[in-house]
Each structure stands twice: as C-alpha cells, then as structure tokens.
Amino acid sequence: VIAQNFQGKCTFTHLPFKWFSIFEEHLALSKLLGPHADLFCAIASNTQKSPQLTVSLSTPRLSMEAAQFNLLPELSLIAPATVHWKGDQECLKPFLGPHLRLTRPCELWLQVKELAVPMRTNESIQIKAEAAVQGLEFLSLTQKTFVLLDDCLLKCEGSLPSYLNGELTSRLAVTQIDHSPHALLPNPLSLKFNLNFEHRQDELYAVPNFDMHLFSEEMEIQLGGRVDLK
C-alpha cells in the first residue's frame, strides 16, 4: 500500500539551546538568539504536486514567519521568507571588542527572496536576499566619539559556489560625545560598497572583486580592486 496523501507536523516549545554543543562552545550565539526557541514544522504531500515543508521559528530575540518550501525536485522557497531580529545594547559585545559598544538596541530585517538547494552536491545553490538595519550607534570608548550607521541595506544574489554578488549602502556619521559635529567629518558620509566573489574552475579559491564609494558635501573617495587568493 502506497500512501498518496500525507500530512505531519511537530511543535517544540522552549527548546533549550544548551542541549546543542554549538551553543556551549560559542556562547555569543546565546547572546544573539536567547536561551531557547519555539519551532514548528509541517509537511504535506499529495499526488498532484511536490511535497511541501512549512517552518516557523521564534526565540526571545528572533522570529521567522512561516516559510514554505517545495521538497522536490529540489528544496526551493515558494514565497519570500522574512526574519526579524532585535538585540539589546550588550548583544554585539563579544564581536565589537572592549573599545566599541552599542549605545541603543538595534533591529535587523532579513528577507530571503529566492532560495533553491539541489539534492545533488555537484549542482549550484541559488540565493537572493536583502537585509536592512536601522540606526546602529556605537560609542568609541578610546576617542570619546559616537559613530552612527543609518539606513543600512545589504543585497546579495548568487549561484553558489560559482559566484556571489553583494551590495551594501549606508550613511555614516561621526559626532563628538555631546553629539555636536566632529571636526574631521562635520556632515554625514554616504557609503556604497560592492563585493563580488567568483569561483573559477582553474582556481582553488574564490576571487573577490570590490568597489567602494564614499561621498559627502565636502569629499568623495572611490576605491576598487581585486584580491587573488593562492
């Protein structure tokens, strides 16, 4: 007897991350996500279409709306999936070091627009995604200045491992400790940074090409180049 229709689901409530060794080995992950997660998975199949998987995830800091995937002939995202993350002032401390800290909470929105993961290992993974961050303000403890990164938008698209293209745009402002304009950068600076990784069959590593454009009312800087990895 072959089942033509199948449905199943599972729900985990307050699943503790301490059960997984990676969180014990990398304590910074717990600061980013929190101590536990709620996870929901459902799978449905019939003879008319590909089996479908639905996944939703939430932690004290992160939430992912129900993401739907087709399972055949490859794992492919049916519609864009959105992830929202919110961190407090201490959440990035393990990554920033002792001389730089966040002065206020920050939020990140990630939208995966396209994702296709083939079943065969010799085929490419297709991905297209965007991430946005509002109002990252840092305090430099050594120079007594504030650094504000605002309107950060990161776009990436690629066919892995063949190539990956990324574009980052943002506004950069530096102020004195009293939030008055800094002498070295009195007006905000706009940033546009492009980074392209291309993996060639005759080379062992991906070759990154980059282009950076910084501009304000007083100045303009353009940098570009290529890094060959041997």
Side-chain angles (χ1 to χ4, degrees):
V1 178
I2 300 177
Q4 296 183 348
N5 297 282
F6 172 79
Q7 291 186 346
K9 63 181 180 180
C10 63
T11 302
F12 297 93
T13 303
H14 281 210
L15 181 67
F17 287 137
K18 65 181 181 180
W19 287 2
F20 306 96
S21 61
I22 187 172
F23 288 91
E24 293 293 322
E25 297 167 1
H26 304 281
L27 298 179
L29 289 175
S30 295
K31 284 188 172 292
L32 290 176
L33 298 177
H36 55 76
D38 296 336
L39 175 65
F40 171 80
C41 299
I43 187 170
S45 175
N46 60 49
T47 57
Q48 303 299 320
K49 56 184 179 180
S50 166
Q52 292 186 351
L53 173 68
T54 302
V55 180
S56 62
L57 173 71
S58 66
T59 79
R61 299 196 185 279
L62 179 143
S63 63
M64 182 181 73
E65 300 175 358
Q68 293 184 305
F69 301 87
N70 283 322
L71 296 180
L72 294 174
E74 60 187 6
L75 178 67
S76 58
L77 192 62
I78 297 174
T82 301
V83 177
H84 174 242
W85 175 81
K86 186 174 183 178
D88 60 20
Q89 295 172 222
E90 300 296 324
C91 63
L92 297 181
K93 189 175 181 179
F95 309 97
L96 296 177
H99 304 302
L100 197 66
R101 67 174 177 85
L102 278 175
T103 62
R104 61 192 186 196
C106 60
E107 292 185 77
L108 178 144
W109 291 265
L110 170 66
Q111 185 180 59
V112 182
K113 296 186 172 183
E114 298 176 12
L115 179 65
V117 182
M119 298 300 179
R120 299 178 181 177
T121 56
N122 61 342
E123 296 181 357
S124 299
I125 298 173
Q126 309 296 322
I127 186 169
K128 184 177 182 180
E130 290 186 4
V133 181
Q134 291 291 334
L136 279 175
E137 186 180 69
F138 304 94
L139 172 62
S140 173
L141 300 178
T142 54
Q143 300 179 7
K144 302 299 182 181
T145 56
F146 286 105
V147 179
L148 175 64
L149 284 173
D150 207 3
D151 299 327
C152 297
L153 179 62
L154 173 64
K155 299 180 180 179
C156 67
E157 182 176 1
S159 178
L160 304 175
S162 300
Y163 73 90
L164 180 66
N165 299 326
E167 179 186 271
L168 172 67
T169 56
S170 181
R171 287 192 312 116
L172 172 67
V174 180
T175 66
Q176 304 281 7
I177 198 70
D178 61 356
H179 285 94
S180 61
H182 197 282
L184 295 178
L185 195 63
N187 292 308
L189 199 64
S190 295
L191 164 69
K192 185 176 181 180
F193 183 77
N194 293 293
L195 186 63
N196 306 308
F197 285 89
E198 179 184 358
H199 184 267
R200 300 176 182 176
Q201 293 184 351
D202 59 340
E203 295 177 334
L204 182 60
Y205 300 102
V207 178
N209 297 277
F210 69 92
D211 177 74
M212 184 172 66
H213 187 196
L214 293 166
F215 59 95
S216 69
E217 295 180 3
E218 296 84 12
M219 60 180 291
E220 182 174 3
I221 301 174
Q222 284 188 289
L223 299 172
R226 165 190 170 108
V227 180
D228 290 320
L229 303 173
K230 300 297 184 180

